[in-house]
Amino acid sequence: MTKRILLAGVLGGIAMFLWEGLAHEVLPLGEAGIRGLDNEAAVVAILKENVKQPGFYIFPGGEVLQPGLTGAQKEEATKKAMEQWRAGPSGIMVVHPEGIESSPRVLITQCLLDIVVTLLVAFLLSLAPSISSYGGRLLFVSLIGLVPTLSAELPYWNWYGFPSTYVLAVGFVHLMGFVAAGLVVAAFVKAASAPGAARSAA
C-alpha cells in the first residue's frame, strides 16, 4: 500500500503541476483579475526610494504594526487606519527592493510542493476504505481541491478585497488541479477499499 501511495503522490503531483502550467501559460486563468499599474515606472521609483527591506506590506495603517505601542496608542492608530482604509487608496503588497530571480528552481519547487500535497491526499484516501469505486475516490480527491479556495482565497477576497474574477479563476485552477491529480490517485490508491487488501498490496 505504501508503494501505491508514493507512486500516486508522485505521478498525481506531476499531473497537477502540468495542469497548473497549462492554466497559467496557455489559458487566460493565470492573468484573470490581475491588472498592471497605469504609471508603473513612477510607482516603482517611489518603492525603491521608500521600501528598503523585502517583505509583506499593508497600507494604510502601518503605524498599527509598529512595536512598543501602548494599548491606547494602538487603539488610536487602528481607528485612524480604518478611516484611511475607507477613504483609500488601500492595499497589500509583497516587495523585493533588489528584485527576485525567476529560475528553473522555482518550477522545481512548485512541482515538489504539488507532489507533497498529492502524497498527503493519497494518504488520506487510503484511510477511507468505504470508498470502493473509482468515481467515489476521484470525487474524494477533487473535493479537497475546494479547501484552498474556501480557507485562503475567499478570506483574501473578504478581508482585502481581492478581485472576484481572480478568486474564481484561482479557485478553478485549484479544483481542476486536484481533479487532475485525482485521476491518477484514484487509480492507484484502491487497495484499502476491501478488507485485507492493504496486506495483499504491500
Side-chain angles (χ1 to χ4, degrees):
M1 187 62 180
T2 300
K3 293 179 180 179
R4 286 180 175 271
I5 292 174
L6 289 175
L7 190 57
V10 172
L11 296 180
I14 292 173
M16 180 183 290
F17 176 74
L18 292 175
W19 156 250
E20 291 169 345
L22 176 67
H24 285 84
E25 299 299 328
V26 179
L27 303 178
L29 296 172
E31 300 175 356
I34 301 175
R35 298 178 58 182
L37 295 169
D38 292 333
N39 195 356
E40 183 176 299
V43 175
V44 170
I46 292 174
L47 290 175
K48 284 185 177 180
E49 180 67 25
N50 294 277
V51 182
K52 303 300 181 182
Q53 297 295 326
F56 179 39
Y57 294 87
I58 186 170
F59 67 93
E63 295 178 5
V64 179
L65 304 175
Q66 297 299 320
L69 294 180
T70 65
Q73 289 173 331
K74 189 166 186 177
E75 183 178 352
E76 181 62 27
T78 301
K79 181 180 178 181
K80 180 181 177 182
M82 294 301 294
E83 293 173 352
Q84 292 174 325
W85 270 82
R86 283 192 293 269
S90 62
I92 58 177
M93 57 184 179
V94 177
V95 181
H96 296 272
E98 303 301 326
I100 186 171
E101 181 181 358
S102 179
S103 66
R105 179 189 62 80
V106 178
L107 292 175
I108 293 172
T109 300
Q110 182 61 49
C111 186
L112 290 176
L113 291 172
D114 289 340
I115 289 174
V116 170
V117 74
T118 307
L119 281 170
L120 176 59
V121 169
F123 173 72
L124 293 175
L125 180 58
S126 73
L127 300 179
S130 62
I131 306 176
S132 58
S133 68
Y134 177 85
R137 295 191 298 272
L138 174 59
L139 179 63
F140 178 91
V141 176
S142 299
L143 288 177
I144 296 177
L146 296 174
V147 173
T149 302
L150 294 173
S151 64
E153 310 300 344
L154 283 177
Y156 293 156
W157 166 82
N158 180 44
W159 287 97
Y160 301 118
F162 274 39
S164 298
T165 302
Y166 169 82
V167 172
L168 289 172
V170 172
F172 182 74
V173 172
H174 288 320
L175 178 61
M176 294 308 298
F178 278 83
V179 170
L183 291 170
V184 178
V185 172
F188 283 90
V189 185
K190 55 185 178 180
S193 61
R199 291 192 297 274
S200 63

